[in-house]
Amino acid sequence: MRRALGIFAFLCLIFGSAIAADDVSIPPQLRDWQGWVLHGQEQRTCPLLGTQDGSDDNAYQCAWPGRLSLVVDKAGAHFQINVHVDAESWIALPGSREAWPQQVQLGNAAATVLDRNGTPSLRLAAGDYVIRGVFEWDERPARLQVPGEIALIDLNVDGASIAQPERNGDSLTLGQATAQRREADSLSLRVFRKLSDGAPPMLETRVQLHVAGSAREQSLGPALPNGFVATALNGDLPARLEPDGRLRVQLRPGNWNLVMNARGIVPLTKIELHSPPAPWPQQEIWSYADDPALRTTRAAGAQPIDPAQADVPDDWRMLPAFVIGNGATLAIEQRARGRDANAGDHLQLSRELWLDFDAAGLTADDRLRGTLRSSDRLDVAAPWILERAALHDENPPDAQPLLITRGANANLSGVEIRTRDLDLNAGLRRDSHGGSQPATGGWQQSLDGVDARLHLPYGYRLLGAPGADQSPDSWVAQWNLLDLFVAAVIALLAWRLLGWQWGLVALGFVVLSQSEPGAPRWLPGIAVALALIARALPQGKLRNIARYAGMAALALAVLVTLPFGAEQLRDAMHPQLERSSFISQIYPVAVEKSAYMSASDASKPGLQEENAAPPAQPPPVQELAQRVTPPPPAPPPPAVAAPAVAGKQSAQTIVVTGARITALDLVGAESYPPNMVVQSGRGVPAWSDIGSTYRLSWSGPVTPDETWRLVILPAWATRILRIVMLALLIAWLAAIARAFDLSTRLPRWPRRVATGSAALLLLVAFVPRAHAQSIPSQELLSQLRERLLEAPKCAPQCAASPFAQIAMRGDGADVTIEVDAGAHIAFPLPYMDAPAALANVTLDGKPTAALTRRDGQTWIALERGVHRV
């Protein structure tokens, strides 16, 4: 019995891992290729700076030099530094070409120190290191070069500890800080503004400050023109907005930026600028962004300027720019009103989804119907890819193909729509089925409702669809209160008759057979109930009746098990022979294709390769070629279309060409030119009577922010569970038969039946499969590389600080910060103005070595979770 329970527990573990397999982000066969595809970009695996979006390689930090201990005397110096490295990186050491470190050791081994741009450096792989070295000199220098990345320094000079080491850039003064002649105080400003039309109009002001001299506080402005009220202020320097509109800023040497957002309180018609007194500049650079959805406007009255020559911020370079001086006026001229902003779109989506036979991705055939009132473009967001689109009139064959163009950013692709009554057919593709995906199927419009049918190949099962409003055919949705009650009663009866072990066996069979038609669930339960009744009754006629009735129920259960078991074994060894659309037999659904699909199947490229039978009539190849290609000057070569031979099947070949077009070619056009070449997309699968079909639906309004997931049981796990289910059923029936004392020579289950079932499980479930190649394809490796290089989903806001406490004391301050990190990130620490210096940092009560300095800011590495710094 213990051996049988061990095998059962092992099978349950396999079942659990199969259910959770959808959460594995990287397939096992691709995990060993991560280092290969990330060659040259290993830094993308390092912590992301908490304020960056992850699009730039410089947004990641891999090297974390800890505290530098430096002991200096007249003859030389000794140093030690702890370093943590997340990916292979250069580590800069103290010293320079004039003072080169000697006897450098990495742990207890000699280290190779190289000259990198005049700085002694080590190339270290990922790990934790302790670096030691010495300096030797005849006369102690006044300063020693120390890498700016090092945040904490313990300096000891001639036996005396220096509490506040003086650092000037990369130079460390080897002694107590001394008063030096400061640079004369100076301040220069540049002001850039972006005026955005809207309700209300918005004004973004960016102030660039170049500060020299001592740290000080200064009042600037008024910073906003008349008619605007500030809504937000942030930047590199501590600043606040006074009631009179002036900016009070705490300056320190360096180059800094301040950003202020404001909203308009009067209609946007014209703006007259009155420059504040010096040091505020007498000229400002303004950019203007109109809002076509509200109205069509243009800016005039000021001197235009080239944004590139004026050093306008990069994200404003596409907008018109103007130079506005003291007393100048910027007028906003209205040309036309936009569409009614209160009129919304009403769209309904019908979707057919097919999972690839290797479960690599999803193919969708969408039908969007409804009315467009406020949109003239339909976009699809990545990872869904829009491959083809066509508008339909009353008759589907009169479809008008549409040109697919890129949207506002690289992740969007879509089509322009010039009609209010929409009937759009589109083909989409997604290269994976795991992870969350939008309920709108990638479409960026809100939908009134979504109806979808998911077609899975042989052997695959839909366990659940979290996020979908309805998925009645999934395994989880098929369970109701009655099913749970029946499963509990059967398990309880088996436990009372045979013991708790057999109660688990009965429960396991009932659970696994929930979605299997023809499974004998009731008959064994009735036999167990009658056996318990016979055991409770005294000797007599009633006891014999109960006993014989139980034996009859057991015999019927065995008879039902024979065809059921044969079918399960057949489907486990050959999944392609399983019943077509077994879900459709339980929950009737329409598996016929729509009229549009039936009429257009023959005209879809590549579709004949997927159909089991050729169409009744050959597709109109000549007509389709005229539709998707410009009329050729000469007859096409014979290879363009191979005519069908009577009685034989022949492959059809269509040559599709393309032409370059520009955005200017489409401006003002009411429709695309009739000879324009548009995307035809790949062939859409037409199979719906094989494998399994599941219904999914969402009730409106459905927004693009709503997500859902597919939890699919893979084919190999389905094969295993079929054998496990059959083994549990056989074991249960054998135990019931032994309870009726049908045979005194009945072999015991735990030793023989379990061993035979386990052998059958290994034989059937782990049949070797043929693979086309052992090395993943270039497409798979490219997809793996793209996924590994993806920034965290929370970027650029991957950290938040809900709590901070500052405790002042005589010689310093203790700052405690609680940080919520949404990913493995780098978090910026508070800035300390001179002459204050960072003395010590602890993370969750323990000293940390994962610190670095970048651009004058100190960063600490944090794992995902809640931390106390």
Side-chain angles (χ1 to χ4, degrees), residues 199 291 293-295 337-345 373-374:
D291 186 3
L294 178 66
R295 59 176 182 170
R337 299 295 297 181
R339 291 182 176 178
D340 184 6
N342 296 322
D345 301 334
R373 295 178 179 175
S374 61

Side-chain angles (χ1 to χ4, degrees), residues 207 218-223 233 239-242 244-249 258 260 280:
V207 183
Q218 187 160 347
S219 179
L220 306 172
L233 173 64
R240 70 178 182 183
L241 193 64
E242 300 290 352
D244 59 357
R246 295 178 180 271
L247 274 175
R248 185 170 296 276
V249 186
L258 292 177
M260 182 167 48
W280 198 272

